[in-house]
């Protein structure tokens, strides 16, 4: 799969940070904070590209993957009344040891960036395999997501393995959502979830991921 991105660099003192953003805005995708959990609403194209960016995070341990989402319009459907603020999303490898408190300064120093095309192997793009369920629940398991909130942004920090394995949730929505909704008019709800029982969440809330085919103009 070919994924067009922009690569940005920002310097804070002696440190330089590499930030990757999608070239085309993910206009039909929103991330909403619901206090106890998080909701992602997205269409097929956004699901496909976010899945690719999720896989890219597994291959880019020295980069911050930034998905600007917080100013997007909501889907043309009701969202829960308890909906909180909309958030941006940053994906990063735990070895980068980036402090989210520095993000606002980094974000403010990003210029136009340079165009680049990332080539992701098709096997990785379509990978739906998962680790042994029991192994995920061992106390020694370190392949877990941890989350932080800073500057209207959710930071998802994890290992290459956990990013690679959980990208399948977005591929699932992209592949199955468009076919499910038309044949279930009474309940056109296709979703998947990063769930606390999956053995992929450490200090992190559950994320509900739902396909939406109708969006405000």
């Amino acid at each position: 799969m070919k994924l067009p991105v922009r690569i940005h660099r920002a310097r804070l003192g002696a440190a330089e940070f590499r930030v990757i953003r999608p070239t085309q805005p993910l206009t039909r995708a929103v991330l909403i904070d619901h206090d106890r959990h998080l909701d992602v609403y997205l269409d097929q194209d956004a699901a496909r590209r976010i899945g690719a960016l999720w896989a890219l995070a597994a291959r880019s341990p020295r980069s911050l993957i930034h998905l600007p989402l917080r100013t997007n319009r909501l889907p043309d459907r009701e969202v829960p009344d308890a909906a909180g603020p909309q958030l941006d999303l940053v994906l990063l490898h735990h070895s980068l040891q980036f402090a989210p408190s520095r993000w606002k300064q980094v974000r403010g120093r990003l210029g136009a960036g340079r165009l680049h095309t990332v080539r992701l192997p098709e096997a990785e793009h379509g990978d739906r395999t998962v680790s042994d369920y029991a192994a995920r629940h061992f106390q020694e398991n370190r392949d877990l997501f941890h989350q932080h909130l800073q500057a209207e942004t959710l930071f998802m920090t994890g290992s290459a393995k956990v990013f690679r394995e959980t990208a399948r949730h977005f591929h699932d929505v992209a592949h199955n959502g468009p076919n499910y909704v038309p044949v279930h008019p009474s309940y056109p709800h296709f979703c998947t979830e990063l769930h606390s029982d999956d053995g992929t969440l450490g200090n992190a809330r559950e994320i509900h991921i739902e396909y939406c085919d109708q969006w405000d103009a």
Side-chain angles (χ1 to χ4, degrees):
M1 178 186 181
K2 295 181 179 180
L3 178 67
V5 298
R6 285 189 179 272
I7 298 177
H8 308 257
R9 294 187 183 275
R11 181 170 292 278
L12 289 182
E16 184 178 70
F17 300 96
R18 185 173 185 259
V19 179
I20 300 175
R21 286 171 164 167
T23 300
Q24 296 297 322
L26 295 159
T27 55
R28 292 191 170 186
V30 292
L31 169 62
I32 302 177
D33 190 336
H34 287 285
D35 189 22
R36 293 188 179 182
H37 72 282
L38 299 138
D39 274 353
V40 175
Y41 300 98
L42 70 182
D43 73 353
Q44 183 182 37
D45 175 68
R48 184 184 296 114
R49 289 198 285 148
I50 292 175
L53 291 162
W54 213 266
L56 179 60
R59 296 160 53 90
S60 306
R62 297 181 181 179
S63 300
L64 301 160
I65 314 294
H66 178 214
L67 285 63
L69 305 174
R70 72 183 190 275
T71 61
N72 288 350
R73 293 180 179 272
L74 293 172
D76 188 19
R77 54 145 292 174
E78 291 185 10
V79 298
D81 291 338
Q86 293 179 215
L87 303 172
D88 280 353
L89 178 63
V90 168
L91 314 174
L92 66 154
H93 195 274
H94 56 70
S95 64
L96 191 60
Q97 297 185 325
F98 177 79
S101 60
R102 308 189 77 180
W103 173 241
K104 192 170 184 179
Q105 290 178 289
V106 170
R107 186 175 63 194
R109 286 168 167 75
L110 300 179
R114 63 178 178 87
L115 291 172
H116 181 72
T117 299
V118 176
R119 289 173 173 81
L120 296 169
E122 290 299 327
E124 183 173 337
H125 172 67
D127 187 9
R128 298 177 59 81
T129 61
V130 296
S131 297
D132 178 72
Y133 181 83
R136 280 181 164 184
H137 290 79
F138 287 159
Q139 186 174 358
E140 295 79 9
N141 180 23
R142 296 294 181 266
D143 295 305
L144 300 170
F145 281 121
H146 298 282
Q147 297 171 352
H148 297 86
L149 275 178
Q150 188 76 30
E152 301 175 287
T153 303
L154 174 72
F155 289 81
M156 291 287 290
T157 305
S159 66
K161 183 178 180 181
V162 75
F163 274 114
R164 186 169 57 249
E165 291 178 353
T166 54
R168 65 187 177 85
H169 289 284
F170 297 95
H171 301 323
D172 187 25
V173 171
H175 185 263
N176 295 307
N179 295 324
Y180 180 92
V181 168
V183 297
H184 296 84
S186 61
Y187 191 66
H189 182 105
F190 186 88
C191 66
T192 183
E193 195 168 38
L194 292 172
H195 196 276
S196 57
D197 290 339
D198 294 340
T200 59
L201 300 179
N203 181 19
R205 290 176 287 168
E206 295 177 340
I207 303 180
H208 176 263
I209 305 163
E210 182 177 340
Y211 172 75
C212 295
D213 61 348
Q214 301 294 322
W215 291 75
D216 291 338

